[in-house]
Amino acid sequence: MSNLTNLTEVTDLLTAGEPETPQRPKRRSRMVLPKNFGRCALILVPYVWLLVLFLIPFIIVVKISLSDTAIAMPPYTPTFDWAGGWASFKEMVGGWDFENFTWLMEDDLYWKSYLSSLEIAFVSSLLALLIGYPIAYSMARAPAEWRPTLLMLIILPFWTSFLIRVYAWIGILKKEGLLNMLLMHLGIIDDPLTILNTDLAVYIGIVYSYLPFMVLPLYSSLEKMDDSLLEAATDLGCSPFKAFWLITVPLSLPGVIAGCFLVFIPAVGEFVIPDLLGGSNTLMIGKTLWVEFFANRDWPVASAVAVILLILLVVPIVLFQRQQEKQQEKGA
Amino acid sequence: MNGSPNFGSGCSFAPWADPHEKPLIRFDAVTKKFDDFVAIDNLNLKIYEREFFALLGPSGCGKTTLMRMLAGFEQPTTGSIMMNQEHLTDIPPHRRPVNMMFQSYALFPHMTVEQNIAFGLKQERRPKAEIKERVEEMIALVQLQPFAKRKPHQLSGGQRQRVALARSLAKKPRLLLLDEPLGALDRKLREQTQFELMTIQEKLGLTFVIVTHDQEEAMTVASRIALMEQGKVVQVATPREIYETPNCRYVADFLGDVNIVGGHILGPDDKEEDIVQLAWHEDYAPLRVRLPQPVTFPAKGKEMWIAVRPEKVRITKDYPTDTHNILKGKVLDIAYTGNISTYHVRTEDGQIIKSQEANLEHLHRRAITWDDEVYVHWRAGGCVLLER
Ligand SMILES: Nc1ncnc2c1ncn2[C@@H]1O[C@H](COP(=O)(O)OP(=O)(O)OP(=O)(O)O)[C@@H](O)[C@H]1O
Ligand SMILES: [Mg+2]
């Protein structure tokens, strides 16, 4: 579900860059035009999409999580044998158990990974908000003819590979990296700082990578705001600073919530950044999962980790959905 | 200041006529440019305490810009605005004792009707009970009691307008700027609210500046009307003066309906010396205009215009004997609007003259109908002579 809303979200954001989009509601109403058949087909498309690309893979993962490891190909048992038919299916179902999930409860490594992932994702979202809000605000206040360019600059990093960008941070953060060289050159520090392979580097990486996801929804909600509201507030005796808190902030709240979720949700499952920038004691569930899959070749436990992660994320995703729907009902 | 501003009963409230009276607001040679575009052009204006001042003019003539300068959202490019001998330009908008009702309403979408109205009062940190009382009073005034807990997007256009009005009134500012405050209301509610506004203004002794596109409204509520054209004030006068003695064709034409006949000054009338004759057509007798006191005759041969309101033009089938300004023509059209009928008469030289008659009887049978040969005529004292 979240895939779809994210897509519309992103297109909304892209159109929001143009100063005026009066044709937007029209485009929506045209979707309703086709006769019943067309309408059904139209509704069917996202559901088929969801079924094929989300539900079926997820069912397979759940199935694997209920199995046991085996030295085989694929590395788990029981497997379903098409030739065996119904009997083989019954046999497979009979072989399922929740052993892996009990294992996850018993070994505190997993719980610690989950908690630490949530913590890192939460703090990163907060940091991204603190950094992203002034950026989005100044973009929305910039002269109208500049805004598309600024928006472009925010999206620009997506044109290079994510992996390369994270790698670049290694070059910046390492002991003899750019940052340390600069700080030492300026005489601010005498000995190089250890930033790479710490949690700090992970925070930097996540905030850097996901900042656009924070800035774009914030920008779109700030840009929509009518300047005359601030004028009305000052007219009624409110200082400009107070007007910002009483008018701008509450009205940008939908953007704040959308941005936080868009950073938080992918950050929880992040694997590349903790792996490349984090240290050996940086615990993140994405990394744990990777180790289970590829180092330990324990597919069932890895699948169980993934299933729990998904259940953990369903809560914020549902909250996010709710908030989006409410926003749409209001008609913005 | 001393007299009560009771315009209806003929009691005199005319601080503008008193040279010792100090204006509340004073525009001195104010010009406002947006890039190269001149929105306000070297404007001088005085608004007195307790006035209900109406700004009238076509769309884009600078009414909103003028108000925004008073509220503090625009700075004059040159010139100065004073409020009680104090430079208004130095005071930031949130410190000015001025509230504005925005043409676009500018209601806070995340607040309910009540919260919107209470906003200004809360900024002043008034006691809670007082705020509550004032908000209720305002909600009652604009008749929005059932909608107090709604948010702006749940209201109709007229209801939103009333919230905006209540919000701007709540603080009872010394100067209240109303930018088309009643445009979205139906006639009955509008008249009622006009009346309420006048009552509040009188009772609290506030000064109101109102922008309106409704002339009748301006005439009803205003102590004085300023008519604007392209950033300039063309005439400032009481409703009666501006209607009866406009100072140019633009004003005469903008306010109400008018017939205008151009010509050249011939000279004074032989019998009455406050009457001037205007030659308007070589085949017809000159028209006569009674000049206001003190009489100053315009130069002979000067091109001037006569403006006469349709309700002062009589229409008859027979040649009238008791008047001088008589034109012959044919009835082109009759517009019936219930209380009055307007006859459009094409004179022999091709001009259209409008004449209005009250419908005193049921119109089973009209005395005058289409294509009738008629005479339209008016008195020398019923028209004005205009220079431009
Ligand atoms: N911020 C601005 N930048 C450029 N031009 C402006 C700006 N604000 C107003 N103008 C121009 O100044 C002129 C006067 O505008 P204003 O809003 O005062 O008109 P108005 O008399 O209130 O018209 P209406 O009756 O339609 O509300 C208009 O021609 C308008 O285009
Ligand atoms: Mg306006």
Side-chain angles (χ1 to χ4, degrees), chain B residues 58-65 67 103 179-180 211 213:
Chain B
S59 185
C61 69
K63 305 180 294 288
T64 301
T65 308
M67 289 209 158
Q103 196 171 7
D179 201 345
E180 290 185 42
V211 165
H213 279 289

mmCIF file of all heavy atoms in Angstrom, chain B residues 58-65 67 103 179-180 211 213, ligand 2:
data_model
loop_
_atom_site.group_PDB
_atom_site.id
_atom_site.type_symbol
_atom_site.label_atom_id
_atom_site.label_comp_id
_atom_site.label_asym_id
_atom_site.label_seq_id
_atom_site.Cartn_x
_atom_site.Cartn_y
_atom_site.Cartn_z
ATOM 1 N N PRO B 58 -13.126 51.618 -9.831
ATOM 2 C CA PRO B 58 -13.143 50.392 -10.627
ATOM 3 C C PRO B 58 -12.075 49.411 -10.149
ATOM 4 O O PRO B 58 -11.157 49.792 -9.420
ATOM 5 C CB PRO B 58 -12.834 50.884 -12.044
ATOM 6 C CG PRO B 58 -12.131 52.171 -11.869
ATOM 7 C CD PRO B 58 -12.660 52.783 -10.610
ATOM 8 N N SER B 59 -12.196 48.174 -10.559
ATOM 9 C CA SER B 59 -11.250 47.147 -10.162
ATOM 10 C C SER B 59 -9.838 47.539 -10.592
ATOM 11 O O SER B 59 -9.628 48.013 -11.700
ATOM 12 C CB SER B 59 -11.653 45.829 -10.816
ATOM 13 O OG SER B 59 -10.831 44.814 -10.352
ATOM 14 N N GLY B 60 -8.883 47.373 -9.681
ATOM 15 C CA GLY B 60 -7.485 47.647 -10.010
ATOM 16 C C GLY B 60 -7.090 49.103 -9.861
ATOM 17 O O GLY B 60 -5.999 49.489 -10.248
ATOM 18 N N CYS B 61 -7.943 49.935 -9.266
ATOM 19 C CA CYS B 61 -7.595 51.363 -9.165
ATOM 20 C C CYS B 61 -6.734 51.639 -7.933
ATOM 21 O O CYS B 61 -6.266 52.756 -7.747
ATOM 22 C CB CYS B 61 -8.858 52.207 -9.126
ATOM 23 S SG CYS B 61 -9.797 52.010 -7.618
ATOM 24 N N GLY B 62 -6.527 50.648 -7.078
ATOM 25 C CA GLY B 62 -5.599 50.836 -5.958
ATOM 26 C C GLY B 62 -6.255 50.897 -4.588
ATOM 27 O O GLY B 62 -5.610 51.300 -3.617
ATOM 28 N N LYS B 63 -7.491 50.475 -4.468
ATOM 29 C CA LYS B 63 -8.175 50.550 -3.178
ATOM 30 C C LYS B 63 -7.518 49.633 -2.154
ATOM 31 O O LYS B 63 -7.216 50.043 -1.028
ATOM 32 C CB LYS B 63 -9.657 50.154 -3.350
ATOM 33 C CG LYS B 63 -10.391 50.951 -4.402
ATOM 34 C CD LYS B 63 -11.835 50.531 -4.521
ATOM 35 C CE LYS B 63 -12.021 49.126 -5.034
ATOM 36 N NZ LYS B 63 -11.720 48.937 -6.452
ATOM 37 N N THR B 64 -7.294 48.381 -2.557
ATOM 38 C CA THR B 64 -6.672 47.435 -1.635
ATOM 39 C C THR B 64 -5.263 47.878 -1.280
ATOM 40 O O THR B 64 -4.846 47.786 -0.121
ATOM 41 C CB THR B 64 -6.668 46.023 -2.249
ATOM 42 O OG1 THR B 64 -8.020 45.638 -2.511
ATOM 43 C CG2 THR B 64 -6.043 45.016 -1.318
ATOM 44 N N THR B 65 -4.533 48.403 -2.261
ATOM 45 C CA THR B 65 -3.169 48.864 -2.011
ATOM 46 C C THR B 65 -3.168 49.966 -0.956
ATOM 47 O O THR B 65 -2.340 49.974 -0.037
ATOM 48 C CB THR B 65 -2.541 49.371 -3.318
ATOM 49 O OG1 THR B 65 -2.693 48.357 -4.307
ATOM 50 C CG2 THR B 65 -1.087 49.697 -3.144
ATOM 51 N N MET B 67 -5.343 50.412 1.404
ATOM 52 C CA MET B 67 -5.629 49.811 2.706
ATOM 53 C C MET B 67 -4.424 49.063 3.244
ATOM 54 O O MET B 67 -4.135 49.108 4.439
ATOM 55 C CB MET B 67 -6.784 48.841 2.552
ATOM 56 C CG MET B 67 -8.086 49.529 2.312
ATOM 57 S SD MET B 67 -9.356 48.496 2.969
ATOM 58 C CE MET B 67 -10.661 49.615 3.211
ATOM 59 N N GLN B 103 -9.800 41.091 1.739
ATOM 60 C CA GLN B 103 -10.690 40.805 0.623
ATOM 61 C C GLN B 103 -10.784 39.290 0.396
ATOM 62 O O GLN B 103 -11.808 38.774 0.015
ATOM 63 C CB GLN B 103 -10.142 41.492 -0.630
ATOM 64 C CG GLN B 103 -11.138 41.596 -1.752
ATOM 65 C CD GLN B 103 -10.624 42.486 -2.887
ATOM 66 O OE1 GLN B 103 -9.473 42.915 -2.895
ATOM 67 N NE2 GLN B 103 -11.480 42.763 -3.830
ATOM 68 N N ASP B 179 -12.261 45.536 3.510
ATOM 69 C CA ASP B 179 -12.094 45.408 2.064
ATOM 70 C C ASP B 179 -13.226 44.540 1.509
ATOM 71 O O ASP B 179 -13.191 43.330 1.623
ATOM 72 C CB ASP B 179 -10.728 44.796 1.745
ATOM 73 C CG ASP B 179 -10.284 45.109 0.331
ATOM 74 O OD1 ASP B 179 -11.138 45.531 -0.468
ATOM 75 O OD2 ASP B 179 -9.097 44.934 0.037
ATOM 76 N N GLU B 180 -14.201 45.161 0.947
ATOM 77 C CA GLU B 180 -15.400 44.492 0.442
ATOM 78 C C GLU B 180 -15.963 43.516 1.472
ATOM 79 O O GLU B 180 -15.972 42.312 1.262
ATOM 80 C CB GLU B 180 -15.089 43.776 -0.868
ATOM 81 C CG GLU B 180 -14.844 44.779 -1.957
ATOM 82 C CD GLU B 180 -14.641 44.118 -3.303
ATOM 83 O OE1 GLU B 180 -15.389 43.172 -3.575
ATOM 84 O OE2 GLU B 180 -13.779 44.570 -4.040
ATOM 85 N N VAL B 211 -14.113 49.467 1.587
ATOM 86 C CA VAL B 211 -14.066 49.379 0.125
ATOM 87 C C VAL B 211 -15.309 48.624 -0.299
ATOM 88 O O VAL B 211 -15.644 47.610 0.300
ATOM 89 C CB VAL B 211 -12.824 48.598 -0.358
ATOM 90 C CG1 VAL B 211 -12.972 48.209 -1.812
ATOM 91 C CG2 VAL B 211 -11.578 49.424 -0.167
ATOM 92 N N HIS B 213 -18.003 47.706 -3.873
ATOM 93 C CA HIS B 213 -18.355 47.890 -5.276
ATOM 94 C C HIS B 213 -19.828 48.254 -5.404
ATOM 95 O O HIS B 213 -20.332 48.458 -6.489
ATOM 96 C CB HIS B 213 -18.062 46.616 -6.071
ATOM 97 C CG HIS B 213 -16.622 46.501 -6.443
ATOM 98 N ND1 HIS B 213 -16.039 47.302 -7.380
ATOM 99 C CD2 HIS B 213 -15.637 45.696 -5.986
ATOM 100 C CE1 HIS B 213 -14.763 46.992 -7.490
ATOM 101 N NE2 HIS B 213 -14.494 46.028 -6.648
HETATM 102 MG MG MG C 2 -9.141 45.047 -3.890
#
